[in-house]
Amino acid sequence: MTDQKKILMVVAQENFRDEEFFEPKEVFEKSGAKVTVASNKTKKAKGMLGGNVNPDIKISDVNIDEYDAISITGGGGAKQYLWDNKELQDIVRKANEQGKVVAAICISPVVLANAGVLEGKKSTVFKNDETVSILKEKGAKHKDKGVISDGKIVTGRDPKSATEYGKAVLKALN
């Protein structure tokens, strides 16, 4: 495949949601995409359900020009490690400006909202008072659905949506 898609998957260093990482990653890789994993550090990242991944690169070292899409994994650790990560927000903004696919699942659409890319966009998020209010505050049009694509922006609600989310990211890439 000469036009191999490159997808950057971002995980929290601790307590990322296993299904929301492993299921989309499998969908991406089965399609022939090359997946690079980024986190706050390159030491082993731990999932909420016991899964582990060794990140390839630190978020601070990412050059988004090298990727076709960014997918941000959810889970409890996303709030602690990713929501307010200014470097990650800059990467998301730059990816969006370059017309790349920008995607997030579970509570991680908050990263997209904090980066300012959900304004006026239809999106979903793991539903709790905090996440929904942040999305609305930042101008997103929140809908309580499993997966929502609005142009090149893809959001997924929860672990049950993980495979469908992965497929929606691929569809947005084509």
Side-chain angles (χ1 to χ4, degrees), residues 29-75:
E29 290 176 341
K30 278 186 175 169
S31 80
K34 179 175 182 351
V35 173
T36 301
V37 181
S39 191
N40 305 79
K41 300 174 186 156
T42 53
K43 73 173 195 176
K44 187 183 293 183
K46 297 178 176 73
M48 294 171 71
L49 305 180
N52 294 310
V53 61
N54 291 312
D56 303 299
I57 189 171
K58 291 192 292 193
I59 292 167
S60 58
D61 293 335
V62 166
N63 176 359
I64 196 60
D65 297 346
E66 298 172 8
Y67 302 94
D68 301 296
I70 179 171
S71 172
I72 305 171
T73 305

Side-chain angles (χ1 to χ4, degrees), residues 135-165:
L135 259 62
K136 289 181 176 174
E137 263 171 44
K138 305 283 182 169
K141 297 176 184 168
H142 175 258
K143 306 270 183 243
D144 188 18
K145 286 178 61 183
V147 176
I148 295 180
S149 296
D150 189 334
K152 295 274 188 182
I153 295 178
V154 179
T155 49
R157 182 179 54 199
D158 52 35
K160 287 187 228 121
S161 312
T163 297
E164 182 189 350
Y165 164 83

Side-chain angles (χ1 to χ4, degrees), residues 89 92-93 96 110-119 138:
Q89 290 173 21
V92 166
R93 269 192 295 279
N96 188 56
V110 169
V111 175
L112 307 187
N114 286 341
V117 303
L118 290 186
E119 192 168 338
K138 305 283 182 169

Side-chain angles (χ1 to χ4, degrees), residues 86-106:
K86 300 297 182 213
E87 292 165 320
L88 181 56
Q89 290 173 21
D90 289 343
I91 291 165
V92 166
R93 269 192 295 279
K94 190 170 180 189
N96 188 56
E97 287 162 9
Q98 293 177 359
K100 297 175 188 276
V101 174
V102 175
I105 187 167
C106 190

